[in-house]
Amino acid sequence: MNHVKRNQVLLLCWVILFAIISGNFGNYLGIPYLFLDPVYLNKVSFSSFFIMGIVISGLSVAFHITTYINDGHRFSFIGVISKPFTVFSLNNSIIPFIFLFNYVIYIIQYQVSNEYLSFDSLFINLLGLLSGYSLMLIVLYSYFWFTNKDIFKYVVCKLDEKLKQNIKATRASAMKKLNIAKKKQIRVDSYLSLNFEVKGAYESQGFYDRNTILQVFDQNHFNLVIIELFILLILLVMGIFRDYEIFQLPAAASFTLLLTIFIMFAGAFSYWFGSWSGSVALILLLAVNFMVKEGIFNKKYEAYGINYNTKPSPYNLNEIDKLTSAELVNADKQSGREILENWKAKFDPNTKPKMVLLCASGGGQRAALWTLYSLQVADSLTNGQLMKNSMLITGASGGLIGASYFRELYLLKQEQEIDNLYSKIYFDHLGSDNLNAVIFSLLMNDMFVGFQEFNYKGLKYSKDRGYAFEQQLNKNTGYILDKPLSAYKEPERDSKIPMLIMAPTIINDGRTLYISPQNVSYMMDASDSLYKAEKTNGVEFLRFLKDQQADSLRFLSGLRMSATFPYITPNITLPSTPPIEIMDAGITDNFGISDAVRFLYAFKEWIAENTSGVVLVSIRDSEKEEPIKKEDKLSLFEKFSLPISSIYQNFQSLQDINNDDRVEYAKSWFSGSIERIDIQYIPEEYMKENLPKTDSLRMENVKRASLSWRLTSREKASLINNINTQSNRAALKKLQLLLKE
């Protein structure tokens, strides 16, 4: 009851954790799976659960300490009890123990129903969790047992180096709390002792001895400084060596550690400012907001390979118009036609081949794996004709990463550096965890260690969570994508591989930034655009940042720009005036259809004359025609937010409608044929077709893979199985027939 009345912020932390493990918070993003199936060193094991046990135990102890410091004086009877803090913690453990009990239950339910673990494996995982939890308790309370001597014990709050100088203020604060305690004691009739016996509570006037209390606070403050410095030292060391995988905690552990730090500082804040906490917090928030606005705390996230030391490129309407001048557009179209001729030269000169335009939708690791596996299966079924006939790859986010990975494997196969283009090992590699490093870097870089740099191609950049994302993706893909953008210019020009255009969104004005090793001004030509628009829809990256070495852009940074997931991978800032900030390509078109149609329009005459038609292959990680759901039993908050939330929920549907209009309109100005093939990830369809009605599997198995950069074993299996749905089999059959023609 005391927590409900006074410690709502602390309770909120527990509410969030309860909501996560029960699947009521972040389910769409796969956040519960980070707790129920934690990954460490790229596997779920005793070690990963052991770390989870340690951090959850640490969170519980931080909760006890914060409560003890802020509210211990309200329970004056503990002044005559031996080891009062330990007794206080035991009686304050209702919430932590209920959480631990529920956490174990949810782990068992998830692991049995979704990961199909054996009893031995499940037992080992739970043993890891409980061992870590117990070990952390033993270590911390052993320290308390041997160092804390008095009533108010180990304090977890941030103390500055002037603690000794402020001892008078500290003593005054202590005496003030004691005077309040005399008047505002909380009634307690009994408590649970360390022997787990229920004993009656009583008070001692000796509890109010001033000299004793001053000694208590002095001694506890000293213990606080030691432990806090030790904790910060550990975090500092881990942050310095964060590039080593062994120091990268499971994502759920990093989040729990963040909550622990929040509880520590929230408790310290409440203790020092008392009833003024709310007002002081508001003042600090306004002050920080002002400093951020003035650029004091602004952090710039950079694209690697770009030279930020040169004069920034001007970004204004005049410069945008210059980049789409008729002279440049005609020159780029001529270069484009040369690439098209090289593409055509791969086929029998007496035939007109089908031209394939590949479009891969965004959606984190789910889309990356679905795109990779779909391309492997489709290219295998067509005996390699899919990639041979493919001229262009467009898309967003994870889908573009999966397509880029497969394209690079296709290039390596031609160069005889790999044997089997369709090996499952590549799926497994790309499916490795890519979240632990990012979340841990978010914790360490944004809160503690933000001073590290690294060298790339002779230029220095800061290590941040964007760097962590690229490094982990680089490792997961076997380092084969770690190239500058210019490395793909010749293979694309010779048509060894399809062209690939990345199209992230410019936050400043909503235009598209077209990133390609080729000059592609025809993609944003306003004078001869698809809809005769007066406003230029995009900017060509290669020419816009020519003075900043645009062609040296790290290809992985380009992929990161197209896959900027809010709050996880940061928005990249480019060297321009004003600075351009980049957002995920999915904001403009999550499916890449619009860019494919723009390319088709730019070369419509050549394509119509030299091909037997265009096949638009759309690899989607979502269902195009989702069932219409009835919105009923809405809460007051849901009704209030419905106008905004409905736009967000139907965002992809709106894009689908616009894209369908573009494709249908294209049939009116393109004289050749346009065939569209959708390969869709719809797990519900697979379950209905392949499982008997009496199957006892939980509905959890029907849910689609989460929108995350880390998927569980069940989610990966769901992606693999889904290629065999009736609709996907029909789509692949149609693709085979079209390419045979």
Side-chain angles (χ1 to χ4, degrees):
M1 295 305 297
N2 180 67
H3 286 311
V4 173
K5 184 177 181 180
R6 295 182 175 87
N7 299 322
Q8 296 88 350
V9 174
L10 301 185
L11 286 182
L12 179 62
C13 295
W14 289 109
V15 169
I16 292 174
L17 286 175
F18 272 104
I20 288 175
I21 64 172
S22 63
N24 292 310
F25 177 82
N27 208 33
Y28 178 70
L29 300 176
I31 296 178
Y33 306 145
L34 303 179
F35 283 80
L36 304 177
D37 198 44
V39 170
Y40 178 64
L41 298 178
N42 207 34
K43 61 181 179 180
V44 179
S45 62
F46 175 92
S47 300
S48 62
F49 278 98
F50 182 79
I51 294 173
M52 288 303 303
I54 288 178
V55 296
I56 291 174
S57 179
L59 174 71
S60 301
V61 174
F63 173 67
H64 296 322
I65 292 170
T66 300
T67 305
Y68 184 67
I69 290 305
N70 288 323
D71 296 326
H73 63 275
R74 305 182 193 280
F75 307 93
S76 58
F77 72 92
I78 63 174
V80 296
I81 298 176
S82 176
K83 307 299 179 186
F85 175 65
T86 307
V87 173
F88 182 91
S89 299
L90 177 62
N91 286 270
N92 192 49
S93 293
I94 295 176
I95 295 175
F97 282 166
I98 290 178
F99 174 79
L100 180 62
F101 177 79
N102 279 273
Y103 188 34
V104 171
I105 296 299
Y106 282 120
I107 288 174
I108 294 174
Q109 289 179 347
Y110 177 81
Q111 295 289 340
V112 171
S113 301
N114 297 278
E115 300 300 324
Y116 314 113
L117 288 185
S118 64
F119 174 79
D120 292 342
S121 299
L122 179 60
F123 176 78
I124 291 174
N125 289 344
L126 292 178
L127 180 63
L129 175 71
L130 298 178
S131 297
Y133 193 93
S134 302
L135 178 63
M136 189 65 170
L137 288 182
I138 292 172
V139 170
L140 290 178
Y141 280 95
S142 294
Y143 174 81
F144 301 149
W145 192 277
F146 290 109
T147 59
N148 286 350
K149 303 174 182 178
D150 302 304
I151 304 166
F152 290 91
K153 301 191 180 315
Y154 173 58
V155 183
V156 177
C157 61
K158 184 87 173 181
L159 292 181
D160 56 30
E161 297 176 356
K162 297 182 179 180
L163 180 62
K164 297 298 182 181
Q165 300 176 13
N166 295 333
I167 196 66
K168 292 183 179 180
T170 304
R171 295 184 178 186
S173 178
M175 297 312 302
K176 182 178 179 181
K177 284 185 176 293
L178 290 174
N179 290 331
I180 295 174
K182 292 180 180 180
K183 302 177 181 179
K184 296 185 178 181
Q185 286 291 299
I186 295 177
R187 175 182 172 180
V188 177
D189 297 323
S190 59
Y191 69 95
L192 193 64
S193 70
L194 295 180
N195 296 325
F196 294 95
E197 297 177 355
V198 178
K199 293 187 176 182
Y202 56 92
E203 297 185 8
S204 171
Q205 295 299 321
F207 176 76
Y208 299 112
D209 178 74
R210 287 172 177 262
N211 292 329
T212 301
I213 295 305
L214 293 176
Q215 292 174 5
V216 169
F217 273 80
D218 287 347
Q219 189 267 341
N220 278 268
H221 288 163
F222 178 72
N223 277 349
L224 164 66
V225 172
I226 293 177
I227 292 298
E228 279 247 321
L229 289 177
F230 181 69
I231 292 174
L232 292 176
L233 178 62
I234 292 177
L235 292 175
L236 182 64
V237 171
M238 294 178 67
I240 292 174
F241 295 100
R242 60 188 169 177
D243 290 342
Y244 296 93
E245 198 171 9
I246 193 172
F247 289 98
Q248 296 170 2
L249 302 179
S254 295
F255 179 77
T256 305
L257 186 58
L258 181 62
L259 283 182
T260 303
I261 295 172
F262 175 77
I263 286 177
M264 290 163 55
F265 281 95
F269 200 84
S270 177
Y271 175 75
W272 288 110
F273 296 105
S275 59
W276 285 90
S277 298
S279 300
V280 174
L282 180 60
I283 293 173
L284 288 177
L285 180 62
L286 293 174
V288 171
N289 180 68
F290 174 78
M291 286 186 283
V292 170
K293 184 177 180 180
E294 295 300 317
I296 298 176
F297 286 158
N298 278 355
K299 179 174 176 57
K300 181 172 62 177
Y301 296 94
E302 300 173 334
Y304 310 137
I306 299 299
N307 190 346
Y308 285 79
N309 300 321
T310 60
K311 182 181 178 181
S313 297
Y315 184 64
N316 52 55
L317 297 179
N318 290 332
E319 292 299 322
I320 293 174
D321 290 340
K322 290 179 183 179
L323 294 174
T324 55
S325 66
E327 182 181 355
L328 293 179
V329 172
N330 291 332
D332 292 351
K333 283 186 176 181
Q334 178 58 37
S335 299
R337 281 189 286 268
E338 292 175 4
I339 297 176
L340 290 170
E341 291 291 345
N342 292 334
W343 172 85
K344 182 184 177 183
K346 297 188 296 183
F347 304 94
D348 186 338
N350 298 319
T351 63
K352 289 187 176 182
K354 293 285 187 183
M355 176 178 286
V356 175
L357 304 179
L358 287 174
C359 305
S361 77
Q365 193 176 64
R366 174 185 71 200
L369 291 176
W370 175 241
T371 299
L372 172 64
Y373 190 67
S374 297
L375 288 174
Q376 284 183 313
V377 172
D379 195 60
S380 174
L381 290 176
T382 58
N383 297 316
Q385 287 298 121
L386 174 64
M387 288 301 288
K388 182 179 179 181
N389 286 61
S390 294
M391 178 61 211
L392 176 70
I393 298 175
T394 60
S397 190
L400 208 56
I401 290 176
S404 298
Y405 185 39
F406 185 74
R407 186 181 74 149
E408 181 64 30
L409 293 172
Y410 179 68
L411 179 61
L412 293 177
K413 179 68 168 62
Q414 294 181 72
E415 297 173 348
Q416 298 182 343
E417 294 189 25
I418 62 172
D419 296 323
N420 184 8
L421 179 64
Y422 314 120
S423 172
K424 188 177 178 293
I425 191 173
Y426 303 120
F427 180 92
D428 295 335
H429 286 170
L430 188 61
S432 299
D433 177 81
N434 200 28
L435 194 61
N436 284 357
V438 175
I439 299 300
F440 187 68
S441 181
L442 171 63
L443 171 67
M444 297 310 305
N445 185 77
D446 290 7
M447 296 189 65
F448 297 104
V449 187
F451 54 80
Q452 289 180 294
E453 294 183 336
F454 75 103
N455 187 289
Y456 180 79
K457 304 296 184 182
L459 297 171
K460 288 186 177 181
Y461 303 93
S462 298
K463 288 186 177 180
D464 49 42
R465 63 185 187 275
Y467 167 81
F469 176 84
E470 287 189 28
Q471 291 300 95
Q472 191 62 45
L473 179 61
N474 194 21
K475 180 180 178 181
N476 293 350
T477 53
Y479 305 99
I480 62 175
L481 294 176
D482 194 4
K483 299 179 177 181
L485 184 65
S486 58
Y488 290 105
K489 184 173 184 177
E490 186 174 339
E492 286 188 6
R493 186 188 61 198
D494 297 339
S495 202
K496 288 184 177 180
I497 55 176
M499 289 178 59
L500 187 145
I501 299 178
M502 296 173 278
T505 305
I506 299 174
I507 294 179
N508 306 55
D509 55 15
R511 287 182 168 88
T512 299
L513 182 69
Y514 288 103
I515 304 175
S516 169
Q518 317 297 332
N519 290 118
V520 291
S521 60
Y522 48 76
M523 294 294 291
M524 69 288 295
D525 179 18
S527 62
D528 186 33
S529 68
L530 192 55
Y531 298 104
K532 306 297 181 185
E534 295 182 0
K535 182 175 181 178
T536 304
N537 72 294
V539 177
E540 186 196 350
F541 173 81
L542 208 58
R543 283 198 178 95
F544 175 63
L545 295 180
K546 181 180 180 180
D547 295 336
Q548 289 75 29
Q549 303 173 198
D551 59 347
S552 297
L553 171 73
R554 191 187 194 190
F555 186 70
L556 289 166
S557 291
L559 291 177
R560 174 159 63 98
M561 280 195 269
S562 294
T564 304
F565 192 84
Y567 312 113
I568 303 299
T569 47
N571 299 332
I572 284 179
T573 301
L574 296 177
S576 62
T577 307
I580 284 179
E581 285 199 43
I582 302 301
M583 193 64 179
D584 195 294
I587 294 179
T588 305
D589 181 8
N590 193 51
F591 305 99
I593 301 293
S594 60
D595 292 328
V597 173
R598 284 186 179 277
F599 180 86
L600 175 61
Y601 184 83
F603 301 102
K604 56 183 182 296
E605 292 87 1
W606 190 98
I607 296 175
E609 181 181 349
N610 294 276
T611 72
S612 59
V614 170
V615 181
L616 196 64
V617 178
S618 177
I619 302 176
R620 305 171 52 97
D621 81 322
S622 60
E623 185 177 2
K624 186 175 181 180
E625 292 288 350
E626 294 187 17
I628 300 175
K629 300 177 182 179
K630 180 182 179 182
E631 297 288 350
D632 56 357
K633 297 183 178 180
L634 297 177
S635 65
L636 179 62
F637 177 77
E638 288 173 331
K639 289 183 178 180
F640 178 77
S641 62
L642 187 61
I644 302 300
S645 63
S646 62
I647 295 176
Y648 172 77
Q649 292 170 2
N650 295 311
F651 189 61
Q652 290 192 358
S653 179
L654 293 172
Q655 289 186 349
D656 276 329
I657 293 172
N658 289 332
N659 285 335
D660 287 347
D661 287 343
R662 288 187 175 98
V663 174
E664 290 303 314
Y665 180 46
K667 294 178 180 179
S668 67
W669 49 255
F670 180 64
S671 58
S673 65
I674 299 178
E675 298 285 349
R676 183 168 178 177
I677 294 177
D678 292 315
I679 303 175
Q680 305 179 73
Y681 169 56
I682 313 174
E684 292 87 350
E685 184 176 338
Y686 173 78
M687 300 298 288
K688 291 175 182 178
E689 292 176 9
N690 295 276
L691 291 179
K693 295 182 179 179
T694 57
D695 194 276
S696 60
L697 290 176
R698 297 176 180 272
M699 284 302 294
E700 177 72 19
N701 292 283
V702 183
K703 293 182 180 179
R704 63 199 299 250
S706 54
L707 181 61
S708 174
W709 285 109
R710 183 255 155 165
L711 300 182
T712 65
S713 300
R714 176 195 62 81
E715 291 175 314
K716 294 173 187 176
S718 170
L719 290 164
I720 292 175
N721 292 333
N722 207 250
I723 200 70
N724 296 316
T725 62
Q726 184 176 352
S727 60
N728 284 335
R729 288 198 303 268
L732 292 171
K733 184 67 175 178
K734 181 179 179 181
L735 180 62
Q736 287 178 279
L737 294 174
L738 287 172
L739 295 185
K740 278 184 179 180
E741 295 177 2

